[in-house]
Amino acid sequence: MPENAVSGAYSRRAHEYAEALGRISATAPADRDTIAAWALACGGPVVDLGCGPGHWTAYLDALGAKASGVDPSQALIGIARAEHPNVGFAVGTAADVPPGGAAGVLAWYSLIHVPPERLGEELAAVRRLLRPGGRLLAGFFAGDAVAPFDHAVTTAWTWTPEWITERLEEAGLIVEQVRRRQDPGAREHGEVWAVLPSGGTVGRRVTDVIGVPGWVLSGESLAPAITDLPAFRAGLQEDPLAGAIEALWTGRVAEARVLLHGAAQPSVRTRALLADCDRRSGDAGAAVSALRSLLAEHEEDRWEPVLRQHLGKALLAAGEVDAARRELRLALEARLEAGADAGLLASSRQALARTGLGFGPRTPTGPAGTGD
């Protein structure tokens, strides 16, 4: 397809752009938290629209999201394919992507060059890609007015939260939230989360994770539920903490505390389980404090991803969603780097996806003990 003025400008500076910005290490950790949680919450294929050199697409693919990238700049797509050969990339725009198949569309600073009078048609093209219940996450330059400015590559626009909300609603999407952030030395960042209605209701269920043996992690509450007690007991018969774990997972928190305090010594595992007792009894603040202390003692050892996972869930129970996203994203990245087994990766993806829905579990409960 022929390049337009914007994609041509990016193609001329493709290698310079990729060298400066085309690595995940060059992105803001807060953006990684947000994008990872959002993509995993989509629960299906995600299109990275205006993917540039493909770093976000590859990042999401590595985390387990089914991500593909599209960009009108042939030079940038060439770089993306060379840098990330196992990820799918295509030259094109939203009009070139098959309609109705995306559970999510990421437009991370890829609509900023669209003149305001044309943004409506661009958003209509994005809407066309989404399946019912599909989600859009867009990053943009926030401002107090809709106004052009001299971007490093070509003219871009700032948007106000009110203005972009109106444009998305005109395109048939429901805006869930608009957030702004000011990072040192940068223009003000904005992000907007929106969803295509599905049958009059908007909702998404995070997938349950099957534990072994005899239990499951609920995608709704992130809490463990024992589904086959004999199998569960048989699987933990060699575990000295089996009784405490069973008591905790069946809601007998006081009994679990007694058993844990009676353990031979206060190991990392027993201390993490005691923090989970705090969380299940409704004292998420105490759980967060205890787990932060534990993490400070065990950063960069084998316990770090486990403790970050528990801390993330405690923060989520405490309503600290942004902090929870950070811990859960770091736990997942550490597990991927360590080559953790599929069950642990599924647990991390499940919890991180839950934060992408914008709220935590309905009750302050969560898994413990044999895994997460």
Side-chain angles (χ1 to χ4, degrees):
M1 60 171 288
E3 293 189 340
N4 60 26
V6 173
S7 58
Y10 272 92
S11 282
R12 286 189 292 275
R13 303 186 66 177
H15 289 281
E16 177 187 355
Y17 180 86
E19 180 65 26
L21 300 172
R23 306 177 314 281
I24 283 298
S25 60
T27 64
D31 292 346
R32 297 202 290 275
D33 296 342
T34 294
I35 291 175
W38 168 84
L40 292 172
C42 288
V46 173
V47 176
D48 183 4
L49 190 63
C51 65
H55 52 300
W56 282 119
T57 325
Y59 175 71
L60 293 175
D61 185 75
L63 292 181
K66 300 174 182 177
S68 60
V70 60
D71 196 286
S73 167
Q74 297 185 46
L76 284 172
I77 288 296
I79 293 171
R81 287 170 171 164
E83 291 292 323
H84 313 290
N86 296 320
V87 181
F89 295 101
V91 177
T93 66
D96 301 300
V97 180
V105 171
L106 177 66
W108 203 247
Y109 286 85
S110 58
L111 299 174
I112 58 171
H113 301 293
V114 179
E117 66 273 14
R118 286 191 45 236
L119 188 62
E121 64 185 85
E122 292 292 331
L123 292 175
V126 170
R127 180 190 186 282
R128 168 183 162 274
L129 303 185
L130 292 169
R131 63 176 63 164
R135 302 158 72 87
L136 167 69
L137 174 60
F140 63 94
F141 293 108
D144 296 325
V146 178
F149 68 93
D150 291 329
H151 183 272
V153 178
T154 188
T155 301
W157 274 262
T158 58
W159 304 339
T160 68
E162 298 77 14
W163 185 83
I164 188 57
T165 295
E166 290 175 1
R167 302 292 81 75
L168 286 163
E169 290 177 347
E170 288 171 356
L173 298 166
I174 294 175
V175 173
E176 297 177 305
Q177 59 178 313
V178 185
R179 307 200 306 176
R180 300 172 74 159
R181 186 182 77 240
Q182 182 63 67
D183 293 336
R187 287 185 177 272
E188 188 175 2
H189 163 79
E191 62 193 53
V192 57
W193 304 51
V195 63
L196 180 63
S198 175
T201 60
V202 177
R204 183 156 309 277
R205 186 177 188 280
V206 177
T207 305
D208 292 343
V209 172
I210 306 300
V212 178
W215 57 278
V216 63
L217 284 176
S218 165
E220 177 64 22
S221 67
L222 302 183
I226 297 173
T227 55
D228 185 335
L229 187 56
F232 177 81
R233 287 174 172 169
L236 294 186
Q237 60 183 342
E238 303 298 328
D239 191 331
L241 298 180
I245 294 168
E246 180 181 328
L248 182 60
W249 287 16
T250 54
R252 306 188 323 267
V253 179
E255 180 184 340
R257 283 188 196 277
V258 170
L259 292 170
L260 290 166
H261 281 301
Q265 57 184 2
S267 65
V268 176
R269 193 160 171 246
T270 57
R271 291 167 67 189
L273 283 167
L274 283 167
D276 285 348
C277 287
D278 290 333
R279 179 159 49 110
R280 277 199 81 129
S281 62
D283 194 350
V288 168
S289 179
L291 288 164
R292 279 182 169 151
S293 294
L294 260 177
L295 182 59
E297 297 172 23
H298 293 279
E299 281 192 286
E300 300 184 4
D301 70 18
R302 69 184 183 90
W303 287 105
E304 180 182 357
V306 175
L307 294 172
R308 287 197 185 280
Q309 181 82 357
H310 282 259
L311 176 57
K313 291 185 177 182
L315 287 163
L316 196 55
E320 298 182 44
V321 178
D322 288 341
R325 283 182 186 140
R326 177 182 182 276
E327 297 300 334
L328 293 168
R329 188 259 301 170
L330 289 171
L332 176 53
E333 290 179 354
R335 284 175 168 174
L336 285 165
E337 185 176 352
D341 67 43
L344 290 175
L345 293 177
S347 172
S348 283
R349 288 170 177 143
Q350 178 201 56
L352 186 55
R354 192 73 199 155
T355 71
L357 299 179
F359 52 89
R362 294 176 183 172
T363 55
T365 60
T370 55
D372 296 305

